[in-house]
Amino acid sequence: MPTEIRVATIDDAAEIQAIYEPIVLETAVSFELVPPTVEEFQERITRTLEKTPWLMCEIDGAVAGCTYAGQHRAREAYQGSVEVTVCLNPLYHRRGVGKAIYTALFACLRLQGYRSAYRGIVLPNEASIALHDSLGLTLIEVYKSAGFKLGEWRDVGWWQPETQPSNNNPIAPIALPEIKNTENFRHALDSGLAELR
């Protein structure tokens, strides 16, 4: 089967849940304390795709990872900003999957008109920091003792790239359903494939 980066569907929820559950239960990487159910992931995918991408990377028919963008803050002046997340299947670590799907996600976000994307990383996490640094994201702030998990208080570093140049006359970002069937969107999805090893 070919390798592809594509938009998620609710049919992906079970595989995402299987990858994510041990992350929640065994690490501090996620601040969730209880793993979401398959049904909760179906709802999250559906809600996300109303506005922003949730992307899957498949290699030989298996889910190698996913990434998505969601609302950064609710107030209207934040409409040009999103928060991004990545989740990788441990069987595909060090194969360029994270860089591939992030490259595609950021291309999609630029196409939609988003200016900024933020990524919170629970510290320490050298592998995640290296991935985000390799994509040109920069550390902008550290929230000290932001969450309590696995018996201790954890700091969260915030990384940011600019997805669009600044301007003083921004327009509202285009919702995903309005562009997801366009050739430009397909090119944005495919833009990450060259990063896979």
Side-chain angles (χ1 to χ4, degrees):
M1 292 186 90
T3 298
E4 70 172 334
I5 297 173
R6 60 172 175 79
V7 175
T9 72
I10 60 170
D11 294 335
D12 295 309
E15 287 187 86
I16 295 169
Q17 198 276 342
I19 294 167
Y20 189 62
E21 182 171 317
I23 293 170
V24 172
L25 295 176
E26 300 166 14
T27 77
V29 171
S30 167
F31 270 9
E32 294 198 75
L33 301 178
V34 177
T37 64
V38 171
E39 292 75 21
E40 287 172 314
F41 269 113
Q42 289 174 334
E43 291 172 15
R44 290 180 186 190
I45 292 167
T46 300
R47 188 171 53 248
T48 298
L49 294 178
E50 290 172 1
K51 290 187 178 181
T52 52
W54 188 312
L55 304 181
M56 307 297 294
C57 178
E58 279 191 7
I59 298 175
D60 296 327
V63 172
C66 67
T67 186
Y68 62 92
Q71 185 178 50
H72 174 62
R73 294 286 186 268
R75 293 187 177 163
E76 192 173 358
Y78 287 110
Q79 69 180 329
S81 299
V82 291
E83 196 169 313
V84 297
T85 299
V86 66
C87 182
L88 303 177
N89 182 334
L91 299 175
Y92 293 89
H93 281 184
R94 304 200 183 286
R95 293 188 53 187
V97 173
K99 197 166 185 179
I101 56 179
Y102 259 154
T103 296
L105 178 66
F106 291 142
C108 293
L109 294 173
R110 281 191 299 275
L111 187 61
Q112 289 183 265
Y114 286 100
R115 182 185 180 276
S116 296
Y118 300 95
R119 172 65 169 132
I121 301 174
V122 179
L123 303 175
N125 188 335
E126 290 182 24
S128 188
I129 291 169
L131 167 62
H132 292 83
D133 286 349
S134 76
L135 288 158
L137 282 77
T138 55
L139 176 65
I140 56 170
E141 187 65 61
V142 175
Y143 292 3
K144 298 290 187 181
S145 300
F148 188 82
K149 188 165 182 189
L150 299 179
E152 62 184 275
W153 287 99
R154 310 285 177 161
D155 297 345
V156 176
W158 286 92
W159 271 254
Q160 175 191 21
E162 284 194 0
T163 57
Q164 293 281 10
S166 297
N167 71 61
N168 290 328
N169 192 20
I171 59 169
I174 302 166
L176 181 68
E178 294 179 41
I179 64 162
K180 78 174 194 176
N181 295 320
T182 66
E183 186 174 338
N184 286 341
F185 186 75
R186 183 71 249 166
H187 288 311
L189 291 178
D190 291 343
S191 68
L193 292 175
E195 302 294 342
L196 293 167
R197 316 189 266 281

PDB file of all heavy atoms in Angstrom, residues 39-70:
ATOM      1  N   GLU A  39     -15.152   6.677  21.225  1.00  0.00           N
ATOM      2  CA  GLU A  39     -16.264   7.594  20.939  1.00  0.00           C
ATOM      3  C   GLU A  39     -15.850   9.047  21.164  1.00  0.00           C
ATOM      4  O   GLU A  39     -16.238   9.936  20.385  1.00  0.00           O
ATOM      5  CB  GLU A  39     -17.485   7.245  21.801  1.00  0.00           C
ATOM      6  CG  GLU A  39     -18.140   5.914  21.454  1.00  0.00           C
ATOM      7  CD  GLU A  39     -17.338   4.688  21.955  1.00  0.00           C
ATOM      8  OE1 GLU A  39     -16.506   4.822  22.879  1.00  0.00           O
ATOM      9  OE2 GLU A  39     -17.546   3.602  21.380  1.00  0.00           O
ATOM     10  N   GLU A  40     -15.070   9.291  22.204  1.00  0.00           N
ATOM     11  CA  GLU A  40     -14.595  10.660  22.444  1.00  0.00           C
ATOM     12  C   GLU A  40     -13.666  11.119  21.319  1.00  0.00           C
ATOM     13  O   GLU A  40     -13.732  12.269  20.886  1.00  0.00           O
ATOM     14  CB  GLU A  40     -13.880  10.749  23.795  1.00  0.00           C
ATOM     15  CG  GLU A  40     -14.833  10.694  24.973  1.00  0.00           C
ATOM     16  CD  GLU A  40     -14.120  10.579  26.314  1.00  0.00           C
ATOM     17  OE1 GLU A  40     -13.181   9.751  26.425  1.00  0.00           O
ATOM     18  OE2 GLU A  40     -14.505  11.329  27.229  1.00  0.00           O
ATOM     19  N   PHE A  41     -12.824  10.218  20.831  1.00  0.00           N
ATOM     20  CA  PHE A  41     -11.976  10.581  19.702  1.00  0.00           C
ATOM     21  C   PHE A  41     -12.806  10.847  18.450  1.00  0.00           C
ATOM     22  O   PHE A  41     -12.491  11.756  17.671  1.00  0.00           O
ATOM     23  CB  PHE A  41     -10.910   9.518  19.436  1.00  0.00           C
ATOM     24  CG  PHE A  41      -9.630   9.772  20.171  1.00  0.00           C
ATOM     25  CD1 PHE A  41      -9.217   8.927  21.180  1.00  0.00           C
ATOM     26  CD2 PHE A  41      -8.844  10.878  19.871  1.00  0.00           C
ATOM     27  CE1 PHE A  41      -8.035   9.172  21.866  1.00  0.00           C
ATOM     28  CE2 PHE A  41      -7.668  11.130  20.558  1.00  0.00           C
ATOM     29  CZ  PHE A  41      -7.256  10.273  21.567  1.00  0.00           C
ATOM     30  N   GLN A  42     -13.859  10.088  18.238  1.00  0.00           N
ATOM     31  CA  GLN A  42     -14.728  10.349  17.088  1.00  0.00           C
ATOM     32  C   GLN A  42     -15.314  11.759  17.175  1.00  0.00           C
ATOM     33  O   GLN A  42     -15.350  12.485  16.183  1.00  0.00           O
ATOM     34  CB  GLN A  42     -15.842   9.310  17.021  1.00  0.00           C
ATOM     35  CG  GLN A  42     -15.347   7.938  16.609  1.00  0.00           C
ATOM     36  CD  GLN A  42     -16.437   6.873  16.690  1.00  0.00           C
ATOM     37  OE1 GLN A  42     -17.390   6.995  17.453  1.00  0.00           O
ATOM     38  NE2 GLN A  42     -16.267   5.820  15.898  1.00  0.00           N
ATOM     39  N   GLU A  43     -15.741  12.144  18.379  1.00  0.00           N
ATOM     40  CA  GLU A  43     -16.293  13.494  18.572  1.00  0.00           C
ATOM     41  C   GLU A  43     -15.225  14.558  18.356  1.00  0.00           C
ATOM     42  O   GLU A  43     -15.483  15.598  17.740  1.00  0.00           O
ATOM     43  CB  GLU A  43     -16.888  13.624  19.978  1.00  0.00           C
ATOM     44  CG  GLU A  43     -18.141  12.803  20.179  1.00  0.00           C
ATOM     45  CD  GLU A  43     -18.611  12.785  21.625  1.00  0.00           C
ATOM     46  OE1 GLU A  43     -18.143  13.624  22.436  1.00  0.00           O
ATOM     47  OE2 GLU A  43     -19.451  11.923  21.965  1.00  0.00           O
ATOM     48  N   ARG A  44     -14.012  14.311  18.857  1.00  0.00           N
ATOM     49  CA  ARG A  44     -12.926  15.280  18.693  1.00  0.00           C
ATOM     50  C   ARG A  44     -12.565  15.460  17.225  1.00  0.00           C
ATOM     51  O   ARG A  44     -12.350  16.589  16.764  1.00  0.00           O
ATOM     52  CB  ARG A  44     -11.688  14.830  19.478  1.00  0.00           C
ATOM     53  CG  ARG A  44     -11.856  14.920  20.979  1.00  0.00           C
ATOM     54  CD  ARG A  44     -10.605  14.453  21.698  1.00  0.00           C
ATOM     55  NE  ARG A  44     -10.819  14.412  23.125  1.00  0.00           N
ATOM     56  CZ  ARG A  44      -9.870  14.221  24.031  1.00  0.00           C
ATOM     57  NH1 ARG A  44      -8.614  14.040  23.631  1.00  0.00           N
ATOM     58  NH2 ARG A  44     -10.144  14.201  25.324  1.00  0.00           N
ATOM     59  N   ILE A  45     -12.481  14.368  16.497  1.00  0.00           N
ATOM     60  CA  ILE A  45     -12.167  14.447  15.069  1.00  0.00           C
ATOM     61  C   ILE A  45     -13.242  15.248  14.334  1.00  0.00           C
ATOM     62  O   ILE A  45     -12.941  16.155  13.561  1.00  0.00           O
ATOM     63  CB  ILE A  45     -12.013  13.032  14.462  1.00  0.00           C
ATOM     64  CG1 ILE A  45     -10.764  12.350  15.010  1.00  0.00           C
ATOM     65  CG2 ILE A  45     -11.971  13.103  12.932  1.00  0.00           C
ATOM     66  CD1 ILE A  45     -10.705  10.846  14.726  1.00  0.00           C
ATOM     67  N   THR A  46     -14.497  14.919  14.588  1.00  0.00           N
ATOM     68  CA  THR A  46     -15.611  15.608  13.933  1.00  0.00           C
ATOM     69  C   THR A  46     -15.591  17.095  14.230  1.00  0.00           C
ATOM     70  O   THR A  46     -15.714  17.932  13.321  1.00  0.00           O
ATOM     71  CB  THR A  46     -16.957  14.990  14.376  1.00  0.00           C
ATOM     72  OG1 THR A  46     -16.967  13.608  14.008  1.00  0.00           O
ATOM     73  CG2 THR A  46     -18.138  15.705  13.731  1.00  0.00           C
ATOM     74  N   ARG A  47     -15.409  17.456  15.493  1.00  0.00           N
ATOM     75  CA  ARG A  47     -15.402  18.865  15.900  1.00  0.00           C
ATOM     76  C   ARG A  47     -14.206  19.616  15.281  1.00  0.00           C
ATOM     77  O   ARG A  47     -14.341  20.727  14.782  1.00  0.00           O
ATOM     78  CB  ARG A  47     -15.383  18.960  17.427  1.00  0.00           C
ATOM     79  CG  ARG A  47     -15.570  20.338  17.981  1.00  0.00           C
ATOM     80  CD  ARG A  47     -15.765  20.346  19.496  1.00  0.00           C
ATOM     81  NE  ARG A  47     -14.709  19.631  20.202  1.00  0.00           N
ATOM     82  CZ  ARG A  47     -14.887  18.481  20.859  1.00  0.00           C
ATOM     83  NH1 ARG A  47     -16.069  17.906  20.893  1.00  0.00           N
ATOM     84  NH2 ARG A  47     -13.881  17.896  21.486  1.00  0.00           N
ATOM     85  N   THR A  48     -13.044  18.995  15.291  1.00  0.00           N
ATOM     86  CA  THR A  48     -11.845  19.629  14.740  1.00  0.00           C
ATOM     87  C   THR A  48     -12.013  19.921  13.252  1.00  0.00           C
ATOM     88  O   THR A  48     -11.710  21.022  12.778  1.00  0.00           O
ATOM     89  CB  THR A  48     -10.608  18.738  14.964  1.00  0.00           C
ATOM     90  OG1 THR A  48     -10.402  18.584  16.367  1.00  0.00           O
ATOM     91  CG2 THR A  48      -9.362  19.327  14.325  1.00  0.00           C
ATOM     92  N   LEU A  49     -12.509  18.933  12.498  1.00  0.00           N
ATOM     93  CA  LEU A  49     -12.609  19.066  11.047  1.00  0.00           C
ATOM     94  C   LEU A  49     -13.630  20.108  10.593  1.00  0.00           C
ATOM     95  O   LEU A  49     -13.672  20.455   9.415  1.00  0.00           O
ATOM     96  CB  LEU A  49     -12.910  17.714  10.408  1.00  0.00           C
ATOM     97  CG  LEU A  49     -11.806  16.657  10.540  1.00  0.00           C
ATOM     98  CD1 LEU A  49     -12.236  15.345   9.910  1.00  0.00           C
ATOM     99  CD2 LEU A  49     -10.494  17.144   9.936  1.00  0.00           C
ATOM    100  N   GLU A  50     -14.429  20.630  11.509  1.00  0.00           N
ATOM    101  CA  GLU A  50     -15.342  21.715  11.153  1.00  0.00           C
ATOM    102  C   GLU A  50     -14.567  22.980  10.791  1.00  0.00           C
ATOM    103  O   GLU A  50     -15.054  23.821  10.036  1.00  0.00           O
ATOM    104  CB  GLU A  50     -16.300  22.018  12.304  1.00  0.00           C
ATOM    105  CG  GLU A  50     -17.318  20.910  12.531  1.00  0.00           C
ATOM    106  CD  GLU A  50     -18.139  21.122  13.791  1.00  0.00           C
ATOM    107  OE1 GLU A  50     -17.932  22.149  14.499  1.00  0.00           O
ATOM    108  OE2 GLU A  50     -18.988  20.265  14.085  1.00  0.00           O
ATOM    109  N   LYS A  51     -13.324  23.107  11.329  1.00  0.00           N
ATOM    110  CA  LYS A  51     -12.542  24.320  11.083  1.00  0.00           C
ATOM    111  C   LYS A  51     -11.119  24.047  10.628  1.00  0.00           C
ATOM    112  O   LYS A  51     -10.594  24.739   9.760  1.00  0.00           O
ATOM    113  CB  LYS A  51     -12.487  25.177  12.350  1.00  0.00           C
ATOM    114  CG  LYS A  51     -13.788  25.818  12.722  1.00  0.00           C
ATOM    115  CD  LYS A  51     -13.604  26.777  13.865  1.00  0.00           C
ATOM    116  CE  LYS A  51     -14.940  27.441  14.189  1.00  0.00           C
ATOM    117  NZ  LYS A  51     -14.818  28.390  15.280  1.00  0.00           N
ATOM    118  N   THR A  52     -10.469  23.077  11.246  1.00  0.00           N
ATOM    119  CA  THR A  52      -9.032  22.905  11.041  1.00  0.00           C
ATOM    120  C   THR A  52      -8.689  21.448  10.711  1.00  0.00           C
ATOM    121  O   THR A  52      -9.476  20.545  10.955  1.00  0.00           O
ATOM    122  CB  THR A  52      -8.267  23.340  12.301  1.00  0.00           C
ATOM    123  OG1 THR A  52      -8.818  22.663  13.441  1.00  0.00           O
ATOM    124  CG2 THR A  52      -8.342  24.846  12.512  1.00  0.00           C
ATOM    125  N   PRO A  53      -7.481  21.208  10.204  1.00  0.00           N
ATOM    126  CA  PRO A  53      -7.098  19.853   9.814  1.00  0.00           C
ATOM    127  C   PRO A  53      -6.805  18.924  11.000  1.00  0.00           C
ATOM    128  O   PRO A  53      -6.269  19.349  12.020  1.00  0.00           O
ATOM    129  CB  PRO A  53      -5.811  20.053   9.001  1.00  0.00           C
ATOM    130  CG  PRO A  53      -5.766  21.489   8.650  1.00  0.00           C
ATOM    131  CD  PRO A  53      -6.494  22.197   9.742  1.00  0.00           C
ATOM    132  N   TRP A  54      -7.145  17.676  10.821  1.00  0.00           N
ATOM    133  CA  TRP A  54      -6.652  16.561  11.631  1.00  0.00           C
ATOM    134  C   TRP A  54      -6.101  15.588  10.591  1.00  0.00           C
ATOM    135  O   TRP A  54      -6.853  15.036   9.788  1.00  0.00           O
ATOM    136  CB  TRP A  54      -7.777  15.914  12.428  1.00  0.00           C
ATOM    137  CG  TRP A  54      -7.312  14.878  13.415  1.00  0.00           C
ATOM    138  CD1 TRP A  54      -6.441  13.849  13.200  1.00  0.00           C
ATOM    139  CD2 TRP A  54      -7.708  14.767  14.792  1.00  0.00           C
ATOM    140  NE1 TRP A  54      -6.261  13.095  14.332  1.00  0.00           N
ATOM    141  CE2 TRP A  54      -7.027  13.641  15.333  1.00  0.00           C
ATOM    142  CE3 TRP A  54      -8.565  15.485  15.604  1.00  0.00           C
ATOM    143  CZ2 TRP A  54      -7.188  13.239  16.653  1.00  0.00           C
ATOM    144  CZ3 TRP A  54      -8.726  15.081  16.918  1.00  0.00           C
ATOM    145  CH2 TRP A  54      -8.042  13.969  17.430  1.00  0.00           C
ATOM    146  N   LEU A  55      -4.787  15.433  10.578  1.00  0.00           N
ATOM    147  CA  LEU A  55      -4.134  14.669   9.522  1.00  0.00           C
ATOM    148  C   LEU A  55      -3.586  13.351  10.036  1.00  0.00           C
ATOM    149  O   LEU A  55      -3.117  13.261  11.174  1.00  0.00           O
ATOM    150  CB  LEU A  55      -2.984  15.482   8.905  1.00  0.00           C
ATOM    151  CG  LEU A  55      -3.341  16.857   8.356  1.00  0.00           C
ATOM    152  CD1 LEU A  55      -2.103  17.510   7.754  1.00  0.00           C
ATOM    153  CD2 LEU A  55      -4.474  16.780   7.339  1.00  0.00           C
ATOM    154  N   MET A  56      -3.621  12.353   9.168  1.00  0.00           N
ATOM    155  CA  MET A  56      -3.098  11.023   9.459  1.00  0.00           C
ATOM    156  C   MET A  56      -1.955  10.722   8.502  1.00  0.00           C
ATOM    157  O   MET A  56      -2.010  11.089   7.323  1.00  0.00           O
ATOM    158  CB  MET A  56      -4.184   9.960   9.252  1.00  0.00           C
ATOM    159  CG  MET A  56      -5.481  10.204  10.002  1.00  0.00           C
ATOM    160  SD  MET A  56      -5.301  10.192  11.783  1.00  0.00           S
ATOM    161  CE  MET A  56      -4.861   8.481  12.057  1.00  0.00           C
ATOM    162  N   CYS A  57      -0.931  10.032   9.005  1.00  0.00           N
ATOM    163  CA  CYS A  57       0.116   9.503   8.147  1.00  0.00           C
ATOM    164  C   CYS A  57       0.005   7.988   8.177  1.00  0.00           C
ATOM    165  O   CYS A  57       0.042   7.375   9.258  1.00  0.00           O
ATOM    166  CB  CYS A  57       1.493   9.935   8.635  1.00  0.00           C
ATOM    167  SG  CYS A  57       2.849   9.260   7.640  1.00  0.00           S
ATOM    168  N   GLU A  58      -0.172   7.399   6.996  1.00  0.00           N
ATOM    169  CA  GLU A  58      -0.247   5.943   6.874  1.00  0.00           C
ATOM    170  C   GLU A  58       0.957   5.441   6.099  1.00  0.00           C
ATOM    171  O   GLU A  58       1.316   5.993   5.060  1.00  0.00           O
ATOM    172  CB  GLU A  58      -1.512   5.519   6.135  1.00  0.00           C
ATOM    173  CG  GLU A  58      -2.742   5.492   6.984  1.00  0.00           C
ATOM    174  CD  GLU A  58      -3.911   4.818   6.283  1.00  0.00           C
ATOM    175  OE1 GLU A  58      -3.731   4.247   5.189  1.00  0.00           O
ATOM    176  OE2 GLU A  58      -5.013   4.881   6.832  1.00  0.00           O
ATOM    177  N   ILE A  59       1.578   4.388   6.607  1.00  0.00           N
ATOM    178  CA  ILE A  59       2.680   3.724   5.922  1.00  0.00           C
ATOM    179  C   ILE A  59       2.313   2.256   5.797  1.00  0.00           C
ATOM    180  O   ILE A  59       2.072   1.580   6.803  1.00  0.00           O
ATOM    181  CB  ILE A  59       4.007   3.890   6.690  1.00  0.00           C
ATOM    182  CG1 ILE A  59       4.386   5.376   6.777  1.00  0.00           C
ATOM    183  CG2 ILE A  59       5.118   3.082   6.026  1.00  0.00           C
ATOM    184  CD1 ILE A  59       5.614   5.670   7.606  1.00  0.00           C
ATOM    185  N   ASP A  60       2.213   1.772   4.579  1.00  0.00           N
ATOM    186  CA  ASP A  60       1.828   0.379   4.320  1.00  0.00           C
ATOM    187  C   ASP A  60       0.531  -0.001   5.042  1.00  0.00           C
ATOM    188  O   ASP A  60       0.409  -1.087   5.595  1.00  0.00           O
ATOM    189  CB  ASP A  60       2.959  -0.572   4.707  1.00  0.00           C
ATOM    190  CG  ASP A  60       4.206  -0.360   3.871  1.00  0.00           C
ATOM    191  OD1 ASP A  60       4.060  -0.008   2.676  1.00  0.00           O
ATOM    192  OD2 ASP A  60       5.318  -0.518   4.396  1.00  0.00           O
ATOM    193  N   GLY A  61      -0.422   0.921   5.049  1.00  0.00           N
ATOM    194  CA  GLY A  61      -1.731   0.658   5.625  1.00  0.00           C
ATOM    195  C   GLY A  61      -1.834   0.809   7.121  1.00  0.00           C
ATOM    196  O   GLY A  61      -2.924   0.666   7.682  1.00  0.00           O
ATOM    197  N   ALA A  62      -0.731   1.103   7.817  1.00  0.00           N
ATOM    198  CA  ALA A  62      -0.750   1.274   9.274  1.00  0.00           C
ATOM    199  C   ALA A  62      -0.638   2.751   9.622  1.00  0.00           C
ATOM    200  O   ALA A  62       0.058   3.514   8.937  1.00  0.00           O
ATOM    201  CB  ALA A  62       0.394   0.499   9.906  1.00  0.00           C
ATOM    202  N   VAL A  63      -1.309   3.163  10.689  1.00  0.00           N
ATOM    203  CA  VAL A  63      -1.225   4.539  11.149  1.00  0.00           C
ATOM    204  C   VAL A  63       0.124   4.748  11.819  1.00  0.00           C
ATOM    205  O   VAL A  63       0.454   4.106  12.811  1.00  0.00           O
ATOM    206  CB  VAL A  63      -2.371   4.882  12.118  1.00  0.00           C
ATOM    207  CG1 VAL A  63      -2.156   6.253  12.747  1.00  0.00           C
ATOM    208  CG2 VAL A  63      -3.708   4.841  11.389  1.00  0.00           C
ATOM    209  N   ALA A  64       0.913   5.659  11.234  1.00  0.00           N
ATOM    210  CA  ALA A  64       2.237   5.970  11.776  1.00  0.00           C
ATOM    211  C   ALA A  64       2.192   7.187  12.695  1.00  0.00           C
ATOM    212  O   ALA A  64       3.076   7.365  13.530  1.00  0.00           O
ATOM    213  CB  ALA A  64       3.220   6.214  10.634  1.00  0.00           C
ATOM    214  N   GLY A  65       1.169   8.001  12.550  1.00  0.00           N
ATOM    215  CA  GLY A  65       1.042   9.172  13.408  1.00  0.00           C
ATOM    216  C   GLY A  65      -0.092  10.061  12.943  1.00  0.00           C
ATOM    217  O   GLY A  65      -0.665   9.856  11.872  1.00  0.00           O
ATOM    218  N   CYS A  66      -0.410  11.032  13.790  1.00  0.00           N
ATOM    219  CA  CYS A  66      -1.434  12.008  13.443  1.00  0.00           C
ATOM    220  C   CYS A  66      -1.063  13.354  14.038  1.00  0.00           C
ATOM    221  O   CYS A  66      -0.256  13.446  14.960  1.00  0.00           O
ATOM    222  CB  CYS A  66      -2.814  11.568  13.904  1.00  0.00           C
ATOM    223  SG  CYS A  66      -3.055  11.512  15.686  1.00  0.00           S
ATOM    224  N   THR A  67      -1.627  14.392  13.476  1.00  0.00           N
ATOM    225  CA  THR A  67      -1.450  15.748  13.985  1.00  0.00           C
ATOM    226  C   THR A  67      -2.720  16.526  13.710  1.00  0.00           C
ATOM    227  O   THR A  67      -3.455  16.222  12.767  1.00  0.00           O
ATOM    228  CB  THR A  67      -0.235  16.437  13.329  1.00  0.00           C
ATOM    229  OG1 THR A  67      -0.017  17.703  13.957  1.00  0.00           O
ATOM    230  CG2 THR A  67      -0.421  16.647  11.846  1.00  0.00           C
ATOM    231  N   TYR A  68      -2.972  17.504  14.543  1.00  0.00           N
ATOM    232  CA  TYR A  68      -4.148  18.337  14.308  1.00  0.00           C
ATOM    233  C   TYR A  68      -3.935  19.718  14.896  1.00  0.00           C
ATOM    234  O   TYR A  68      -3.033  19.945  15.705  1.00  0.00           O
ATOM    235  CB  TYR A  68      -5.427  17.702  14.865  1.00  0.00           C
ATOM    236  CG  TYR A  68      -5.449  17.496  16.362  1.00  0.00           C
ATOM    237  CD1 TYR A  68      -5.972  18.462  17.211  1.00  0.00           C
ATOM    238  CD2 TYR A  68      -4.966  16.317  16.927  1.00  0.00           C
ATOM    239  CE1 TYR A  68      -6.005  18.274  18.580  1.00  0.00           C
ATOM    240  CE2 TYR A  68      -5.002  16.113  18.294  1.00  0.00           C
ATOM    241  CZ  TYR A  68      -5.521  17.096  19.113  1.00  0.00           C
ATOM    242  OH  TYR A  68      -5.545  16.897  20.478  1.00  0.00           O
ATOM    243  N   ALA A  69      -4.761  20.648  14.452  1.00  0.00           N
ATOM    244  CA  ALA A  69      -4.774  22.013  14.968  1.00  0.00           C
ATOM    245  C   ALA A  69      -6.145  22.280  15.555  1.00  0.00           C
ATOM    246  O   ALA A  69      -7.157  21.830  15.026  1.00  0.00           O
ATOM    247  CB  ALA A  69      -4.478  23.007  13.848  1.00  0.00           C
ATOM    248  N   GLY A  70      -6.142  23.007  16.657  1.00  0.00           N
ATOM    249  CA  GLY A  70      -7.402  23.367  17.296  1.00  0.00           C
ATOM    250  C   GLY A  70      -7.356  24.802  17.780  1.00  0.00           C
ATOM    251  O   GLY A  70      -6.324  25.481  17.699  1.00  0.00           O
TER     252      GLY A  70
END
